[in-house]
Amino acid sequence: MTSTTLTTLFQCKIWADRELLDTLAQLLPEQASALHASIRTLNHVHVVDRIFQAHLQGASIPFTATNTEATPALSELRLAMLQTDQWFLTHAQAASAEQLAAPIEFRFTDGDQGRMTAEEMLLHVIAHGSYHRGNVGQILKSIGVAPPRDLYTRFLHEHEPQRRLPIGA
């Protein structure tokens, strides 16, 4: 995979995270239970993103579990998620093919040993976030709220409308 493709995937992650966070900010007080479950799910995504960020940086992991005991406010989580998303985008943009292919040894939060390439870690962050945005989408559907259409094709066509034109047009 190229750094350009990874860059686009992280641009899409930022876009999808923003859309979902914006939708959650519109929930009504009587939907507090769904909002709480959604924040817990997205906080898990954020914690895992930060853990893999630390692995990529060769730093100590900043968490001992894949979620925090306390549930952050949506505004706090939004800021933290989007800052971390931006770090991943910048990292993907700067990564060379050699850096992406380099294996990195690490420990999971349960203490088990792991090894992945930097590229595999970046793809894990993309896939993991997408999976859990889908979970939050299901929570929203259960309370009658339409979740954002979190589709890579939608992202590409919104950000590059010329892709809707015939080739050569």
Side-chain angles (χ1 to χ4, degrees):
M1 181 166 297
T2 67
S3 178
T4 302
T5 302
L6 285 169
T7 295
T8 304
L9 289 169
F10 279 103
Q11 289 168 336
C12 182
K13 182 180 184 329
I14 291 170
W15 165 82
D17 284 349
R18 278 190 183 135
E19 283 203 338
L20 186 55
L21 291 161
D22 288 348
T23 300
L24 293 174
Q26 301 303 312
L27 294 183
L28 302 172
E30 58 268 21
Q31 297 165 318
S33 178
L35 177 60
H36 182 264
S38 297
I39 291 172
R40 291 296 302 162
T41 300
L42 293 178
N43 193 56
H44 162 71
V45 171
H46 175 64
V47 167
V48 170
D49 285 358
R50 291 282 316 283
I51 290 169
F52 277 87
Q53 177 187 22
H55 294 329
L56 288 162
Q57 293 174 317
S60 298
I61 60 172
F63 300 96
T64 58
T66 60
N67 211 333
T68 58
E69 280 190 41
T71 302
L74 181 61
S75 59
E76 177 187 345
L77 180 60
R78 177 189 179 88
L79 179 63
M81 283 180 68
L82 295 176
Q83 285 176 340
T84 303
D85 284 351
Q86 186 60 51
W87 182 90
F88 277 105
L89 174 61
T90 302
H91 185 78
Q93 288 169 327
S96 69
E98 294 78 25
Q99 289 168 322
L100 291 172
I104 299 170
E105 292 186 2
F106 61 93
R107 289 218 176 269
F108 289 98
T109 55
D110 66 3
D112 282 350
Q113 183 69 29
R115 180 176 49 243
M116 298 169 76
T117 66
E119 180 180 54
E120 289 169 335
M121 287 184 180
L122 293 171
L123 289 172
H124 172 72
V125 166
I126 292 293
H128 181 254
S130 180
Y131 174 83
H132 285 299
R133 284 192 308 273
N135 294 149
V136 173
Q138 290 302 107
I139 293 169
L140 291 171
K141 285 180 185 179
S142 77
I143 61 168
V145 174
R149 293 183 60 230
D150 182 349
L151 301 168
Y152 188 56
T153 52
R154 179 172 163 247
F155 168 79
L156 290 173
H157 289 109
E158 280 188 16
H159 290 83
E160 299 177 37
Q162 69 277 14
R163 287 180 180 246
R164 292 277 187 192
L165 301 173
I167 294 175

